Amino acid sequence: MTQGIMVLVHGYLDGPDVWSRLVNGFAPRGWNLVPVALRPGPASAESDRQLEDYATNVVRQIREVSTAALAPVIVVGHSMGAQVAELAALKLGDRLAGLVLITAAPLAGYSLPPAVMARFAARAGLTDREAIGAGKRGLAVELDAEAQDILVNG
């Protein structure tokens, strides 16, 4: 019997596979672990509504996997996914059983100098797996090769 749903929201430039080790190695009895994909909504990427669109989509995915309409939900978000998790939590109302934020990006965002923001935005357009891997390895130095591969290819 399912006690509830634990929704896992990935961060910027990642995908639901970043949670694979957690899903495969951590199974709290009675909880359905659901790594969701952040799918863009109708707002453009430049819009301040993009996070809201992501949150609406996360709530929609929760409804798709819910076997019990009132099953409690724990929302876990990492990095930018924490911003989305906060907004999704607000939409869940009484169904929300918990909110976990891991290395959360502030909901208000970061105030970065324009040059730094330009580099950050340019990274979003990268398709070269070697360049993506180098960037991820630079930030996640303690991860083993398998975990880094999940970050780059997941």
Side-chain angles (χ1 to χ4, degrees):
M1 177 176 195
T2 300
Q3 290 182 1
I5 301 164
M6 186 177 298
V7 178
L8 308 169
V9 186
H10 64 82
Y12 182 66
L13 298 181
D14 292 327
D17 286 345
V18 301
W19 300 105
S20 62
R21 283 181 160 182
L22 180 69
V23 170
N24 295 330
F26 174 73
R29 175 174 252 153
W31 287 84
N32 182 14
L33 272 62
V34 180
V36 297
L38 293 180
R39 300 178 193 134
S44 71
E46 293 80 33
S47 171
D48 60 356
R49 300 266 322 142
Q50 187 66 48
L51 292 174
E52 284 285 346
D53 285 349
Y54 282 142
T56 298
N57 193 282
V58 166
V59 172
R60 186 176 307 115
Q61 290 180 70
I62 291 168
R63 288 188 188 120
E64 289 171 4
V65 301
S66 293
T67 55
L70 299 176
V73 178
I74 296 174
V75 183
V76 180
H78 170 252
S79 189
M80 184 198 78
Q83 295 173 313
V84 176
E86 285 185 81
L87 295 170
L90 290 172
K91 296 174 183 294
L92 289 169
D94 291 342
R95 286 191 70 187
L96 183 68
L99 176 63
V100 180
L101 306 177
I102 303 168
T103 57
L107 193 52
Y110 296 104
S111 56
L112 299 174
V116 174
M117 185 55 93
R119 283 194 316 256
F120 187 74
R123 184 172 170 242
L126 286 178
T127 56
D128 177 354
R129 291 315 212 193
E130 288 299 317
I132 294 169
K136 297 278 186 177
R137 281 188 296 280
L139 294 171
V141 295
E142 294 297 321
L143 294 180
D144 61 35
E146 180 186 2
Q148 288 180 0
D149 186 57
I150 291 168
L151 280 177
V152 173
N153 298 309

